[in-house]
Amino acid sequence: MILSTVETTQPKGWLVGPWNSPVPIPVGYANEGINELHYHAEMYEIYLIAKGESTALVNEQEVHLRAGHMLVVEPHEVHTFIHSSPDYLHFVLQVPFVANDKHSVNI
């Protein structure tokens, strides 16, 4: 068994993944929508919105998210978060995990 807790003083973090456990899928969180425009060449990112609201930007399309929503960002889709409510929290899974598969995009 592995038990982890969201660190409310950090804007984002990783709860578990292949770097610190036998779990093959990274599971992370964010207490706010992090505005870092990027894409992944091989990984899917699955966002599970736990509370609050946020606006994601996926391939220049605004996606409004709220508690209970799930967003799957596919490989090569450029994405970021541009707004979030003060009570926002999401969990994120990266599948399949590929080390160093985050590619920044400058506009």
Side-chain angles (χ1 to χ4, degrees), residues 8-74:
T8 58
T9 62
Q10 299 297 317
K12 69 178 186 175
W14 292 102
L15 298 171
V16 69
W19 57 86
N20 67 355
S21 76
V23 177
I25 298 171
V27 180
Y29 69 90
N31 289 316
E32 60 187 58
I34 306 297
N35 193 351
E36 296 175 356
L37 194 62
H38 67 283
Y39 71 92
H40 305 277
E42 298 179 55
M43 291 189 297
Y44 291 80
E45 281 194 316
I46 303 167
Y47 295 93
L48 306 170
I49 314 310
K51 65 180 182 174
E53 297 180 2
S54 187
T55 302
L57 191 62
V58 181
N59 285 343
E60 300 182 0
Q61 178 181 346
E62 286 191 12
V63 181
H64 301 285
L65 303 166
R66 69 178 194 280
H69 283 176
M70 178 194 70
L71 171 65
V72 177
V73 178
E74 299 181 47

